[in-house]
Amino acid sequence: DQDVLNDIFKTNYTPLPMSFNYLINIFGSLKFKDPLIVHWAGKTKPWLSNCPDTEWKRLWNHYRTTM
């Protein structure tokens, strides 16, 4: 759990680049090139009907249907 890890490591860690946890609901656009991990934080998820049709949803659908 994140709280336990925070307590154990306190200030002894190296932050990862934003590309390891690109938060769609916060950063939004595709301007960030080649994220390694895309994280849909919040209530809007591409697999739910409440997600607007965006470039990210289309990309998610592409990989969902080709895998």
Side-chain angles (χ1 to χ4, degrees), residues 47-59:
W47 53 89
L48 298 176
S49 61
N50 70 340
C51 185
D53 185 32
T54 63
E55 293 173 271
W56 282 110
K57 181 173 183 170
R58 288 189 292 278
L59 187 61

Side-chain angles (χ1 to χ4, degrees), residues 7-65:
D7 189 49
I8 291 170
F9 291 105
K10 295 186 178 33
T11 59
N12 187 19
Y13 67 93
T14 302
L16 292 172
M18 187 173 59
S19 62
F20 278 90
N21 192 21
Y22 190 74
L23 299 165
I24 295 298
N25 297 32
I26 295 173
F27 303 119
S29 74
L30 283 172
K31 291 177 185 172
F32 187 82
K33 297 296 181 199
D34 301 325
L36 299 171
I37 298 172
V38 177
H39 181 189
W40 275 272
K43 294 179 182 179
T44 304
K45 313 286 188 203
W47 53 89
L48 298 176
S49 61
N50 70 340
C51 185
D53 185 32
T54 63
E55 293 173 271
W56 282 110
K57 181 173 183 170
R58 288 189 292 278
L59 187 61
W60 179 84
N61 263 323
H62 167 76
Y63 284 105
R64 180 184 65 84
T65 58

